[in-house]
Amino acid sequence: MSSTTTTTTVGTIGAPSRRNTELAMLVFAVLIPVFAYINVGLAKEGSVPAGILGYSLGLGLLAGVTHLVVRKWAPYADPLMLPIATLLNGLGLVFIWRLDQEPQITTKQLGGALAPGQMMWSTIGVALFLGVLIFLKDHRVLQRYTYISMVVALVLLIAPIFFPAKFGARIWITIPGVGSLQPGEFAKIVIAIFFAGYLMVKRDALALASRRFMGLYLPRGRDLGPILVIWALSLMILVFETDLGTSLLFFGLFVVMLYVATERTSWIVFGLLLSAGGAVAVATFESHVQTRVHNWLNPLELLNGGVTETAQAMYSFGSGGILGSGLGQGYSRLIGGIAPKSDYILATVGEEAGLAGLMAILLLYGLLIERGIRTALAARDPFGKLLAVGLSGAFALQVFVVAGGVTGLIPLTGMTMPFLAQGGSSVIANWALVALLLRISDTARRPAPAPAPSTDAEMTQVVRP
Amino acid sequence: MNKPLRRVAIFCGLLVLSLLIRVNWVQFVQADELKNDTNNRRVAIERYSQPRGNIIVGGQAITGSTTNDSGDFKYKRTYKDGPMWAPVTGYASQAFGSNQLEKLNDSILSGTDDKLFFSRTVDMFTGEKQKGGDVVTTLNPKAQKAAYDGLGKSKGAVAAINPETGAILALASTPSYDPSTFAGMSDKDAKAYNALLKKNNPDDPMLNRALRQTYPPGSTFKVVTAAAALENGLYTDINAKTDSPLPWYLPDTAHQPLNNEGNIPCENASLKEALRWSCNTVFGKISADLGNKKMKAEAEKFGYNDAKIDTPVRAAESVYPTDNRPQNAMAGIGQASNRATPLQMAMITSAIANGGKLMKPYMVDKLVAPNLNVVQQHTPEAMSQPLKPENAQKLQEMMEGVVKNGTGTNGQIDGVTVGGKTGTAQHGENNKDNPYAWFISYAKTSKGTPVAVAVVIEGSDTLRGDIAGGKLAAPIAKKVMEAVLDGNK
C-alpha cells in the first residue's frame, strides 16, 4: 500500500533561503550611493571626490560583513530588509556629505562636517545589528524581560526632562564625554518589546473580559490601568518635552499593538478618542503645539519679515519639481542651521532628486514596513507577531510623521527620518530594529526541523505474513 | 491575529500612499507656484547668477554688472552716472528688488523672456550660460546731462520729448540717488537704501519727479486753455481783442477778483498778448466761459485724467477734475485742483509743436537679444489729436511770441525758432509755500521740430511772480533744447 511509504505529513521543504537574492540587491544598494557620491562631487567641484575610495570601501565592507553574518546566523531571514536599510543609510550619508559642502550650514557652531560622524555612527549601528543577530539566537528570549523593558522604556522616555533643551526640543540627554543621545529612538524598540510581552499575556483578558457598552467592548478597570498609564505618559512627553512626534509615535504604536493582540476594533475607537481628547486638551494650553498647527495651516507665512523654515522646505520641494535640480545643485541649505541635515533632509532629497527620487525613497520605506508586517504575518508565535508588527508599526509611524511633517501634510514634529537623517541615536536604533525584524523573520521562515525517525511507526505496523 | 495584521498592513500602506499623494501635490501641482514665489530666494539666486543685460543710451551702456565676492549672488548691478540716469533706469537691488525699466524689462535683462526662447535654446546646446538681453532707450545723453546739470542742487524735474515721434529724450529728477549704492545686499547697502527712504530723507530722492509727481502747472496750462478756446471756436483770431474786463471777478463768488501778477495790460487783450503777458483774467474767463466740461475734454485730449500713460514706466495721473465754476476758472490758469506731471506738460508742448498731433511718449526704442537680434521694436504711434493743424499753428505763433518778447525771453536760442510758456504755480494753503517755477518750450528748425521740453523747479527761494518760471526754469529748458539741436546738426 502506498500509505505505508510516507510516515508523516510534515515535510522538510521550507522557504528558500534567498541569500543570493539578498547579495545581488546589496550590490545595488552599495553601487547606487557610490554613484550618487561621485555625482555630488562632479556637480560641486567638477571632479570625482577624493573620499570616494574610502566611502565605497567602507560601505561595501559594511554591506559585505552584514551579508556574511546574516548568511551564517540568520540564513532564512527576509532578503529585502538588509539591502533597503543599506541603501537608505548609504544615501543618507551622501546627502549629509553633500550638505557638508555648504559652508553656510557647516560652521563650527553647527558642529562642522557631520558626514564622518554619521559614518562612524552607522558603523556602530551595523555592529549592533551584527551583535543582535549573533547573540540573540531566538527572539522569544526577550519575553523574559517584559517588565524590565517597561522600566527601561519609562526611564528613557522621561530622562530628557532633566536635560536642557537643544535645537528647540527637549529630546536629548547629554552624557559628558560621550555626547548627546536621543533616548526616544531606543525607547521605541524597548517599548515594543514590553508591549509585545505584556499584551501576549493579557490579550485574552483584554479581549474577552469586557462589558459591552453602546456597541463597544469596555475592558475591566484593572486591565485598563496600564493602558491609561501609557496614554498619560505620552501626553506627559508632549507637555514636558514638547515633543509631539514621540508622543504620537508611542500612542499610535500602542493602539496598533493592542488592536492586533485583541482583534477588537473597539480599541482603535477608544484609542482615537483618547488621543483626540488628549491632543485637544494639550493644544488649548500649549503654545508650542498651537504654533506648529498654525505653521502647518499657513506654510508660506512670513515671520518677522523673514521666510520660515516651513516655507523654505516647501520652496525646496517646489523648486525640485519632477526630476529635481540634480545632486549637489539645490539650495536646501536655505532652510538654515542644522535642520537640512537632520529633520529636513527629505527637503534636500525632494529638491535635488526631485519628485521621482523622493517617491523612490518613500517607496523604499513602504517596502521595508510591509516586509516587517509580512514577517509578523509569517511569525508562528504571538510574541514574535506582536513584536514584529510593533517594530514595523513604529517605523511606519515615524516615517509618516516625519515625511508628513516636512512636506506639510501634517503639523511638523521634530523627528528624524530613519537611516537618512543625521543623528547617531537614530541610525544605531534603526539598525537594531532591522536586526530584530530579521531575527524574527529568520525564525518564521526557517523550515521546521525534520521529524525524528519515528520508532513507534515501525512498532505499530501490522506485518502480514 | 492575522486579520488585524492584514488591516495594519493596509493602514501602513495607506500612510505611505498619502505621503506619495502629498509629495505629488507639492512637487507637481504646486511646484511652479512655489518655485516662482517672490520669497523663494532661488529666484533671486538664479537672477543674479549671470550678468544682467544692459540699459543702453546713445549706444553706450549706462548699467553694468560686477562680480560679488561673497554671498549667494554672483553678480551685482552697477550704474554709470547713477544719479543722472536713476529716473530712467530705476534700480535693481539684490536686497530691495527693482523698479522702473529694471523691473519692467526684467525678463529681457535677466534673459528669461519668452522672446529669447530661440537664443536660449541655442545656448543650451552650445553649453553657454543664459545671458541677458539689452534695453535700448530713446534718451539723448547730452540732453539728459544738460537737464541734470541744469537742475543742479535745486529740487525739480525735466522731461523732454521728440514731438514728431513721442520719443523721450530727457528725464531728469533732482535730488537724485545712485542706485549702485544699494545694488548689493550687505549692511552697507541696507544703510544706503534706508537713508534714501522718504521717512528718513524729506527730500525723497527716490521719487521720480519727472514721471511720478504731479504739480499745479500754473500759467503753463494757459496754452491748453487757449487751445480749448480755439478748438471750441470761442475765439478764432489770436490777434483780435477778447472780451476780457479788468478786474474780472470769479463766477459764483461774492465779487472775488482774479488778480494778475503785476500791472499788465490785460483788459480785452488779444489771445496772443494775453499769453505773452500771462494774463490770469483773460484765461480765467475763457475757462469760465467754456465751462468745466469743455475744458476737461480738451485737457483729456492732451493726456489728462489718464491713469495709464506707460512709457513703459507708468506716469502718475495728471488731473483736471469735474469742478464748480470758480474752481474751473482757477483750473484754467493751472491752479486749484489742476495737477500735472512734468511729462504731461512736455506732452502738451509736443502736441502743439507737432501740428496738433500728440504722439504716445515712450522711452524704450527696442529690446535686443544677447546675440544682438532685435526682439521688439517700438513704432511711434499717435495718441490723440488735441488740436486742428491750423489751431496748432496759431498756438505756436502765440508761444513764439512769449519767447520773442514776453515772459520767456530766457529761452531764446540764436537762429532757432523757440516757442514757450512760463509758469509760476502757487502752492500751499493760502499760497504760503514757495511757488513752483515752470517752463515749457519747443525748438523748431528748418528740418523739423526735434524737441519739446517741460521744466519744473520746486521751492526756489528767489523770486515770486510770473518772472520766476522764465528766470529759473527757462535757462534749463534752453540748455536741453540746445543739446538736442547740437546732436541733430
Side-chain angles (χ1 to χ4, degrees):
Chain A
M1 264 171 81
S2 61
S3 65
T4 56
T5 53
T6 49
T7 56
T8 172
T9 51
V10 180
T12 50
I13 309 143
S17 81
R18 296 265 183 222
R19 289 280 67 81
N20 293 334
T21 314
E22 181 184 84
L23 181 61
M25 281 190 294
L26 265 177
V27 171
F28 279 107
V30 171
L31 279 183
I32 293 170
V34 166
F35 282 126
Y37 192 92
I38 295 173
N39 190 342
V40 174
L42 288 175
K44 294 297 279 186
E45 307 291 341
S47 61
V48 176
I52 186 64
L53 200 66
Y55 177 78
S56 343
L57 283 180
L59 200 62
L61 203 66
L62 285 184
V65 170
T66 50
H67 174 72
L68 288 178
V69 167
V70 169
R71 204 173 257 269
K72 171 89 172 64
W73 274 282
Y76 293 95
D78 187 287
L80 261 180
M81 290 196 241
L82 179 60
I84 292 177
T86 308
L87 178 55
L88 287 173
N89 199 168
L91 283 176
L93 282 167
V94 171
F95 279 113
I96 295 164
W97 179 76
R98 177 258 168 281
L99 287 164
D100 279 346
Q101 310 305 305
E102 302 290 349
Q104 289 98 325
I105 54 166
T106 313
T107 58
K108 235 189 184 99
Q109 294 96 306
L110 295 174
L114 296 175
Q118 182 75 356
M119 188 82 190
M120 186 190 76
W121 294 121
S122 304
T123 312
I124 295 176
V126 168
L128 188 60
F129 170 92
L130 300 177
V132 169
L133 283 183
I134 294 171
F135 295 109
L136 185 70
K137 294 270 189 275
D138 189 337
H139 61 268
R140 276 166 295 197
V141 172
L142 296 173
Q143 279 182 70
R144 293 180 208 155
Y145 305 109
T146 300
Y147 289 95
I148 293 177
S149 304
M150 181 185 74
V151 175
V152 172
L154 285 180
V155 169
L156 286 175
L157 280 177
I158 295 172
I161 294 181
F162 305 106
F163 290 88
K166 220 170 131 182
F167 307 124
R170 205 178 278 276
I171 52 171
W172 302 82
I173 57 173
T174 315
I175 304 167
V178 179
S180 298
L181 275 176
Q182 242 178 306
E185 292 283 349
F186 298 100
K188 180 174 72 184
I189 298 173
V190 180
I191 213 160
I193 294 172
F194 159 60
F195 284 159
Y198 175 78
L199 290 172
M200 194 195 65
V201 177
K202 291 278 182 177
R203 54 193 283 244
D204 291 333
L206 286 168
L208 304 171
S210 49
R211 281 170 289 131
R212 228 180 126 83
F213 176 71
M214 284 172 62
L216 289 175
Y217 289 95
L218 291 185
R220 294 177 301 181
R222 58 178 155 179
D223 297 324
L224 196 62
I227 297 160
L228 289 176
V229 167
I230 297 294
W231 175 68
L233 186 70
S234 39
L235 281 188
M236 227 170 64
I237 296 168
L238 184 60
V239 175
F240 292 106
E241 299 180 10
T242 59
D243 187 358
L244 199 67
T246 312
S247 162
L248 202 83
L249 174 66
F250 286 103
F251 198 67
L253 167 66
F254 180 65
V255 170
V256 165
M257 289 181 74
L258 200 55
Y259 169 62
V260 172
T262 62
E263 307 195 19
R264 287 248 184 266
T265 319
S266 55
W267 283 113
I268 294 186
V269 178
F270 201 61
L272 286 179
L273 285 177
L274 274 177
S275 61
V280 169
V282 170
T284 49
F285 64 86
E286 270 290 316
S287 63
H288 174 77
V289 179
Q290 287 166 7
T291 316
R292 290 284 168 96
V293 173
H294 179 85
N295 287 350
W296 169 56
L297 294 175
N298 311 284
L300 299 184
E301 187 185 51
L302 296 180
L303 203 68
N304 305 326
V307 179
T308 57
E309 271 188 359
T310 322
Q312 288 289 14
M314 294 309 283
Y315 293 150
S316 272
F317 285 117
S319 306
I322 296 174
L323 293 175
S325 60
L327 292 178
Q329 296 176 60
Y331 293 97
S332 52
R333 66 174 155 77
L334 293 173
I335 296 168
I338 200 165
K341 295 180 190 172
S342 55
D343 295 6
Y344 279 105
I345 195 138
L346 272 190
T348 308
V349 177
E351 179 166 3
E352 305 199 343
L355 177 60
L358 187 54
M359 289 213 293
I361 296 264
L362 289 175
L363 285 174
L364 283 178
Y365 281 112
L367 213 52
L368 190 55
I369 293 160
E370 297 299 345
R371 293 307 289 192
I373 296 174
R374 207 185 153 81
T375 299
L377 274 170
R380 297 177 189 136
D381 63 306
F383 177 77
K385 272 182 185 300
L386 282 172
L387 184 55
V389 76
L391 293 175
S392 20
F395 195 85
L397 283 171
Q398 185 165 358
V399 167
F400 177 73
V401 165
V402 182
V406 172
T407 55
L409 181 62
I410 55 168
L412 186 78
T413 59
M415 282 177 94
T416 52
M417 206 66 202
F419 294 114
L420 215 54
Q422 188 275 330
S425 322
S426 170
V427 76
I428 294 175
N430 284 305
W431 272 112
L433 187 149
V434 169
L436 280 176
L437 282 176
L438 277 184
R439 168 52 68 219
I440 298 169
S441 81
D442 175 54
T443 314
R445 296 174 76 247
R446 192 186 291 274
S454 173
T455 44
D456 286 352
E458 298 290 336
M459 290 176 65
T460 53
Q461 199 164 24
V462 180
V463 183
R464 293 192 186 278
Chain B
M1 285 196 278
N2 283 354
K3 201 170 116 193
L5 270 177
R6 290 202 171 87
R7 289 196 180 142
V8 170
I10 291 169
F11 172 70
C12 290
L14 287 177
L15 287 186
V16 175
L17 184 68
S18 64
L19 288 176
L20 290 175
I21 292 172
R22 174 66 186 173
V23 296
N24 270 280
W25 179 258
V26 174
Q27 296 207 263
F28 182 69
V29 180
Q30 287 188 315
D32 274 352
E33 196 184 317
L34 290 168
K35 192 175 176 177
N36 300 317
D37 193 293
T38 44
N39 291 313
N40 188 345
R41 207 174 156 78
R42 290 165 188 78
V43 177
I45 292 176
E46 176 67 24
R47 153 158 316 147
Y48 294 106
S49 66
Q50 82 262 342
R52 212 168 151 74
N54 283 317
I55 295 175
I56 295 189
V57 169
Q60 301 281 316
I62 51 168
T63 56
S65 283
T66 167
T67 45
N68 247 7
D69 25 345
S70 62
D72 291 338
F73 302 149
K74 210 162 160 209
Y75 289 92
K76 190 171 96 168
R77 197 58 148 167
T78 57
Y79 294 87
K80 244 173 261 171
D81 292 325
M84 181 166 99
W85 291 110
V88 178
T89 57
Y91 57 80
S93 162
Q94 292 172 349
F96 304 103
S98 55
N99 73 355
Q100 299 189 34
L101 285 192
E102 289 275 28
K103 182 173 188 174
L104 292 165
N105 290 303
D106 183 66
S107 56
I108 283 284
L109 292 167
S110 59
T112 57
D113 198 285
D114 289 341
K115 299 188 199 88
L116 300 177
F117 177 77
F118 180 71
S119 82
R120 269 217 314 273
T121 313
V122 171
D123 283 353
M124 201 171 79
F125 286 114
T126 57
E128 291 233 5
K129 283 210 79 165
Q130 179 177 305
K131 277 183 288 192
D134 292 340
V135 174
V136 180
T137 69
T138 59
L139 281 111
N140 178 325
K142 280 187 187 141
Q144 179 78 3
K145 188 162 169 47
Y148 183 69
D149 290 349
L151 288 168
K153 287 204 182 340
S154 47
K155 208 190 270 189
V158 174
I161 300 181
N162 179 339
E164 289 160 3
T165 60
I168 294 177
L169 302 172
L171 208 60
S173 170
T174 53
S176 192
Y177 66 100
D178 186 352
S180 298
T181 55
F182 59 92
M185 55 176 325
S186 66
D187 291 344
K188 215 175 82 197
D189 295 285
K191 221 166 141 189
Y193 179 76
N194 284 322
L196 290 171
L197 292 179
K198 193 177 182 183
K199 60 176 186 212
N200 301 326
N201 188 339
D203 283 342
D204 199 6
M206 284 206 278
L207 173 66
N208 184 348
R209 291 178 166 76
L211 289 183
R212 301 289 318 160
Q213 176 72 313
T214 60
Y215 301 91
S219 301
T220 54
F221 190 76
K222 285 170 185 160
V223 298
V224 177
T225 310
L230 294 169
E231 283 289 295
N232 290 294
L234 183 66
Y235 300 107
T236 45
D237 185 353
I238 59 168
N239 291 310
K241 279 195 184 313
T242 58
D243 176 20
S244 312
L246 190 77
W248 180 74
Y249 300 99
L250 286 171
D252 294 351
T253 59
H255 263 349
Q256 193 181 332
L258 182 62
N259 295 319
N260 287 320
E261 293 284 343
N263 188 15
I264 45 178
C266 289
E267 191 170 3
N268 296 330
S270 69
L271 280 182
K272 190 173 174 185
E273 284 299 294
L275 194 75
R276 186 181 145 205
W277 293 109
S278 198
C279 291
N280 288 345
T281 47
V282 176
F283 289 100
K285 182 165 179 293
I286 290 174
S287 181
D289 288 351
L290 287 172
N292 182 256
K293 220 169 157 183
K294 284 180 180 163
M295 283 299 294
K296 196 173 155 206
E298 184 64 20
E300 281 172 3
K301 278 192 216 164
F302 279 106
Y304 266 85
N305 297 344
D306 184 347
K308 286 187 182 153
I309 294 181
D310 297 333
T311 69
V313 178
R314 180 162 292 181
E317 183 181 3
S318 301
V319 200
Y320 194 99
T322 305
D323 237 333
N324 60 23
R325 291 188 70 208
Q327 287 288 320
N328 177 57
M330 291 296 287
I333 59 163
Q335 295 290 165
S337 34
N338 178 348
R339 297 187 68 84
T341 58
L343 176 76
Q344 174 62 60
M345 294 319 292
M347 283 160 67
I348 290 168
T349 319
S350 73
I352 294 168
N354 192 37
K357 192 204 263 181
L358 175 60
M359 300 302 288
K360 192 176 178 306
Y362 69 98
M363 62 169 143
V364 174
D365 183 39
K366 56 190 174 188
L367 303 178
V368 179
N371 59 5
L372 301 180
N373 280 349
V374 175
V375 292
Q376 187 178 310
Q377 168 82 50
H378 183 94
T379 38
E381 55 181 306
M383 194 167 147
S384 63
Q385 180 82 35
L387 282 167
K388 290 188 201 77
E390 64 267 26
N391 287 338
Q393 209 59 47
K394 289 174 189 169
L395 258 171
Q396 285 179 20
E397 193 186 328
M398 287 162 65
M399 288 176 76
E400 281 153 23
V402 171
V403 175
K404 213 175 284 168
N405 51 14
T407 52
T409 47
N410 280 333
Q412 288 171 359
I413 301 171
D414 285 345
V416 178
T417 313
V418 176
K421 179 71 194 86
T422 57
T424 308
Q426 297 174 352
H427 159 223
E429 196 91 354
N430 292 325
N431 195 12
K432 68 174 162 41
D433 293 332
N434 287 318
Y436 298 125
W438 277 96
F439 192 72
I440 58 171
S441 66
Y442 62 86
K444 207 158 76 171
T445 65
S446 54
K447 279 185 267 176
T449 316
V451 58
V453 60
V455 178
V456 63
I457 292 183
E458 286 179 41
S460 63
D461 311 312
T462 47
L463 282 168
R464 293 186 68 94
D466 217 9
I467 200 77
K471 188 140 195 161
L472 289 169
I476 302 173
K478 180 182 164 179
K479 290 249 172 57
V480 173
M481 290 187 292
E482 280 175 339
V484 175
L485 292 167
D486 275 357
N488 281 25
K489 262 181 200 161

